[in-house]
């Protein structure tokens, strides 16, 4: 693939970052780690559409019917919901960040991280005149997409209030991550037991989750509140566990449309609900409020590890509690 090199090539040990043409001629950035993992992010929406491990296995779900044509959002991967989650406000569902063209930020302010990733790209979104009419605030939204040394995918969002008029603003947010799973009926989610949640299928009424791991046999659309920093998604058939680690994102959305909703979505295959699950690091119940000059940071780290077994059962405690 030919394209623009974003970082000087300094040998295989540094990985590579290239800008190439993706579907329908849309620009995308391809990150490759020297150990074999990779990620792809479209400038349209700053949308991660691929994350592969060092065996080349795709870890994210993107619908075969996804429409890569602005102004349609891309179905799957990791859409960014900003400055509004879902219909919780006056804007179009999930806000506008996922349907705007972002720019590569070649000179971002320093970002303190606790990983040694050298394979990353920095993107930036600033308000357009169109956005200012519906959300009249000045801001800078910086996103770093990085591959970690063990093949983990790292997304760091920084949103700064640059209003010159002294006005604060608030927003809700989610990394709307679509994980690829072998069979939704064989998947368990650990880490959300006994927590309160808002059920989007019950007019956002508040309930308390029972004490067992989450399993799936029908449509689910829940916003879990005050969630732990670590959540595990266990795929029994693939013997693989996704670990979601998050900072600055107190909530977690769990979504699967199941069969009826799947059939009603033009950009989603009728049977594809079986092969995906959204578990989303989010800030929804309490909107993030920023005064001029203040910055919010929300970080997501995704990793995929072989599942442990204990007396014939998957043992997520080793993953969740670092045993």
């Amino acid at each position: 693939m030919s394209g623009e090199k974003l970082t000087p090539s300094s040998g295989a040990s540094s990985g590579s970052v290239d800008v190439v043409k993706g579907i329908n001629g849309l620009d995308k950035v391809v990150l490759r780690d020297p150990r074999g993992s990779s990620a792809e992010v479209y400038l349209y929406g700053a949308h991660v559409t691929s994350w592969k491990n060092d065996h080349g296995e795709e870890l994210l779900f993107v619908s075969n019917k996804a429409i890569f044509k602005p102004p349609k959002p891309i179905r799957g991967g990791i859409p960014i919901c900003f400055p509004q989650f879902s219909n919780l406000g006056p804007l179009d569902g999930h806000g506008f960040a996922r349907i705007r063209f972002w720019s590569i930020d070649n000179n971002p302010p320093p970002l303190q991280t606790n990983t040694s990733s050298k394979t990353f790209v920095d993107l930036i979104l600033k308000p357009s005149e169109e956005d200012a009419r519906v959300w009249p605030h000045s801001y800078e939204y910086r996103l770093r997409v990085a591959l970690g040394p063990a093949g983990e995918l790292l997304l760091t969002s920084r949103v700064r209030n640059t209003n010159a008029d002294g006005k604060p603003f608030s927003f809700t947010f989610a990394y709307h991550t679509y994980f690829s799973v072998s069979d939704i009926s064989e998947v368990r989610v650990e880490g959300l037991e006994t927590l309160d949640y808002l059920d989007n299928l019950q007019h956002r009424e508040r309930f308390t989750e029972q004490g067992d791991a989450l399993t799936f046999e029908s449509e689910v659309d829940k916003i879990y509140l005050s969630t732990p920093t670590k959540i595990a998604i266990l795929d029994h058939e693939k013997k693989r566990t996704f670990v979601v680690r998050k900072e600055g994102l107190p909530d977690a959305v769990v979504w699967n449309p199941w069969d009826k909703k799947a059939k009603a979505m033009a950009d989603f295959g009728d049977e594809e609900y079986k092969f995906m699950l959204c578990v989303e690091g989010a800030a929804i119940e309490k909107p993030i409020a920023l005064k001029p000059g203040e910055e919010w940071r929300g970080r997501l780290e995704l990793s995929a590890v072989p599942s442990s077994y204990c007396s014939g059962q998957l043992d997520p405690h080793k993953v969740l509690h670092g045993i």
Side-chain angles (χ1 to χ4, degrees), residues 6-7 14-18 29-33 41 104-106 108 111 113 115-123 143-148 154:
L6 284 186
T7 51
S14 64
S16 66
V17 184
D18 300 295
V29 181
V30 180
L31 308 174
R32 284 191 189 84
D33 183 82
V41 52
I104 291 168
D105 188 2
N106 288 315
L111 175 61
T113 64
T115 59
S116 56
S117 171
K118 295 181 176 60
T119 308
F120 61 85
V121 64
D122 289 291
L123 303 176
L143 175 72
R144 175 171 292 187
V145 180
L147 285 172
L154 309 152

Side-chain angles (χ1 to χ4, degrees), residues 84-98:
Q84 176 184 301
F85 176 78
S86 186
N87 58 358
L88 293 171
L91 305 179
D92 289 341
H94 288 330
F96 47 72
R98 65 184 183 147

Side-chain angles (χ1 to χ4, degrees), residues 41-48 73-74 76-86 92-100 102 123-125 141-145 155-159 171-178 249 280-281 296 298 300:
V41 52
Y42 276 75
L43 297 190
Y44 178 60
H47 197 130
V48 176
I74 299 167
I78 310 180
I80 288 173
C81 304
F82 171 88
Q84 176 184 301
F85 176 78
S86 186
D92 289 341
H94 288 330
F96 47 72
R98 65 184 183 147
I99 53 171
R100 294 291 177 264
W102 293 52
L123 303 176
I124 186 168
L125 180 69
Y141 183 157
R142 287 183 163 85
L143 175 72
R144 175 171 292 187
V145 180
L155 282 78
T156 307
S157 289
R158 292 183 284 173
V159 176
F171 61 92
T172 50
F173 177 91
Y175 291 112
H176 198 316
T177 310
Y178 288 71
L249 302 162
E280 314 167 26
W296 168 81
L300 185 72

Side-chain angles (χ1 to χ4, degrees), residues 11-301:
S13 62
S14 64
S16 66
V17 184
D18 300 295
V19 182
V20 302
K21 293 294 180 189
I23 296 170
N24 292 331
L26 295 171
D27 286 334
K28 69 178 178 181
V29 181
V30 180
L31 308 174
R32 284 191 189 84
D33 183 82
R35 295 168 192 81
S37 61
S38 67
E40 297 183 0
V41 52
Y42 276 75
L43 297 190
Y44 178 60
H47 197 130
V48 176
T49 56
S50 176
W51 168 43
K52 293 180 180 177
N53 63 17
D54 54 6
H55 302 299
E57 294 173 306
E58 182 58 67
L59 303 172
L60 298 178
F61 167 88
V62 174
S63 173
N64 288 325
K65 292 190 170 184
I67 300 165
F68 286 76
K69 285 184 184 169
K72 296 280 189 186
I74 299 167
R75 174 69 67 189
I78 310 180
I80 288 173
C81 304
F82 171 88
Q84 176 184 301
F85 176 78
S86 186
N87 58 358
L88 293 171
L91 305 179
D92 289 341
H94 288 330
F96 47 72
R98 65 184 183 147
I99 53 171
R100 294 291 177 264
F101 283 94
W102 293 52
S103 304
I104 291 168
D105 188 2
N106 288 315
N107 193 24
L111 175 61
Q112 295 297 319
T113 64
N114 52 11
T115 59
S116 56
S117 171
K118 295 181 176 60
T119 308
F120 61 85
V121 64
D122 289 291
L123 303 176
I124 186 168
L125 180 69
K126 294 182 180 180
S128 66
E129 286 182 21
E130 182 186 354
D131 298 336
R133 281 195 289 272
V134 295
W135 202 65
H137 301 292
S138 180
Y139 66 88
E140 289 179 348
Y141 183 157
R142 287 183 163 85
L143 175 72
R144 175 171 292 187
V145 180
L147 285 172
E152 61 271 38
L153 181 65
L154 309 152
L155 282 78
T156 307
S157 289
R158 292 183 284 173
V159 176
R160 179 176 290 275
N161 182 337
T162 57
N163 278 337
D165 58 9
K167 287 184 180 171
F169 63 66
S170 61
F171 61 92
T172 50
F173 177 91
Y175 291 112
H176 198 316
T177 310
Y178 288 71
F179 290 97
S180 173
V181 300
S182 53
D183 178 352
I184 187 62
S185 64
E186 296 285 329
V187 170
R188 291 183 10 216
V189 174
E190 301 270 352
L192 302 175
E193 302 85 350
T194 72
L195 297 181
D196 284 2
Y197 65 87
L198 307 178
D199 193 336
N200 289 320
L201 304 179
Q202 305 268 356
H203 310 290
R204 294 206 177 87
E205 195 177 333
R206 193 178 184 118
F207 298 93
T208 301
E209 189 57 74
Q210 37 73 33
D212 299 324
L214 273 60
T215 55
F216 303 94
E217 51 194 26
S218 60
E219 182 185 358
V220 60
D221 190 354
K222 298 176 179 178
I223 303 168
Y224 289 86
L225 310 173
S226 303
T227 59
T229 56
K230 199 188 289 188
I231 300 166
I233 304 157
L234 296 94
D235 188 332
H236 187 74
E237 202 168 296
K238 277 221 169 83
K239 298 184 176 58
R240 180 163 67 205
T241 297
F242 291 110
V243 183
V244 178
R245 293 178 177 87
K246 55 192 180 61
E247 296 168 16
L249 302 162
D251 304 323
V253 180
V254 177
W255 180 68
N256 184 293
W258 222 253
D259 53 347
K260 287 198 182 103
K261 286 256 174 79
K263 288 183 172 72
M265 291 189 284
D267 60 350
F268 193 92
D270 290 357
E271 301 291 315
E272 286 186 325
Y273 73 91
K274 297 174 181 175
F275 309 113
M276 54 73 62
L277 177 65
C278 288
V279 177
E280 314 167 26
I284 299 169
E285 186 194 24
K286 295 174 183 150
I288 305 294
L290 295 178
K291 295 173 185 162
E294 288 185 333
E295 183 176 87
W296 168 81
R297 181 169 148 179
R299 185 173 180 274
L300 185 72
E301 177 182 320

